[in-house]
């Protein structure tokens, strides 16, 4: 694809009697450029203030994904599957953001701001699955049970540079450089049971249970470079967020058709 969008995949399956081994690997490389322009007018005290923004960015990254597992057939209609999936994504983002401020339609410039962003992001995640499927003689009659563990984390490291200018082109204030670090982890357990039982000519009833436990931690720190070139954190922008979730659900559905 264009811009750069390349991908490849390989699959291998091997069966011996009641056992099937499978492995899949995919890889992709992408380059995603973008541009956004904004024009805004603000009316206040019989004056019109105009802001123009130009945002240009480029995201480059690659993804890897590997999945391996086993299928064991107790019978032709009963199979147990165990699988492990690992994904790794890495990306780098460059952005330029320019602000132009004017007053009235004479477009007397009030100032100009140039801001840059440089981000490195790493996002690996793992998934463990144990699944059982049982099908019965009648089509659509089946029982499926799933246990899954999702283990994800994300690390983002960004540098923001900003320079403000006066209308005459001189610096309005010293160049500022800030660093934003965000570290996020997430684990989720999922248990699910689904059963479908057809009846009559067109009817069926379905029932199921689902339980999930999710724990997430997000550690965010913003720091700014000082005159001695040391980065010092800004307390009012530092955040340590903990999120715990439990969801338990059950469902039942009965459906049928009659006449038209």
């Amino acid at each position: 694809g264009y811009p750069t969008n390349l991908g490849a995949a390989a699959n291998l399956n091997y069966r011996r009697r009641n056992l099937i081994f499978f492995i899949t690997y995919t890889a992709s490389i992408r380059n995603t450029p973008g541009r956004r322009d904004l024009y805004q007018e603000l009316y206040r005290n019989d004056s019109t203030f105009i802001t123009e923004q130009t945002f240009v960015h480029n995201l480059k990254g690659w993804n890897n994904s590997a999945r391996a597992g086993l299928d064991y057939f107790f019978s032709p209609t009963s199979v147990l599957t165990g699988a492990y999936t690992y994904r790794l994504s890495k990306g780098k983002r460059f952005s330029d953001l320019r602000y132009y401020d004017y007053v009235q339609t004479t477009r007397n410039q009030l100032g100009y701001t140039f801001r840059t962003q440089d981000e490195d992001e790493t996002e690996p995640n793992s998934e463990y699955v144990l699944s059982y499927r049982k099908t019965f003689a009648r089509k659509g009659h089946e029982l499926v049970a799933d246990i899954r563990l999702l283990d994800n984390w994300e690390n983002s490291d960004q540098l923001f540079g900003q320079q403000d200018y006066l209308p005459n082109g001189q610096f309005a204030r010293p160049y500022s450089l800030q660093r934003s670090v965000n570290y996020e982890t997430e684990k989720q357990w999922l248990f699910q049971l689904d059963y479908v039982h057809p009846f009559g000519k067109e009817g069926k009833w379905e029932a199921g249970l689902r339980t999930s436990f999710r724990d997430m931690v997000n550690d965010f720190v913003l720091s700014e470079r000082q005159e001695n070139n040391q980065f010092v954190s800004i307390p009012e922008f530092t955040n340590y967020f903990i999120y715990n979730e439990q969801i338990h659900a059950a469902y039942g559905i009965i459906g049928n058709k009659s006449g038209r």
Side-chain angles (χ1 to χ4, degrees), residues 176-194:
S176 66
L177 184 64
Q178 294 180 337
R179 184 184 183 192
S180 165
V181 178
N182 187 51
Y183 182 73
E184 180 179 321
T185 62
E186 178 182 357
K187 287 190 177 182
Q188 182 178 13
W189 282 96
L190 178 65
F191 306 89
Q192 186 164 333
L193 181 68
D194 297 286

Side-chain angles (χ1 to χ4, degrees), residues 83-87 125-129 148-152:
Y84 171 71
T85 303
Y86 178 77
R87 304 179 186 91
N125 62 76
S126 298
E127 181 180 24
Y128 306 81
V129 179
R148 295 174 183 265
L149 170 61
L150 306 176
D151 187 4
N152 306 330

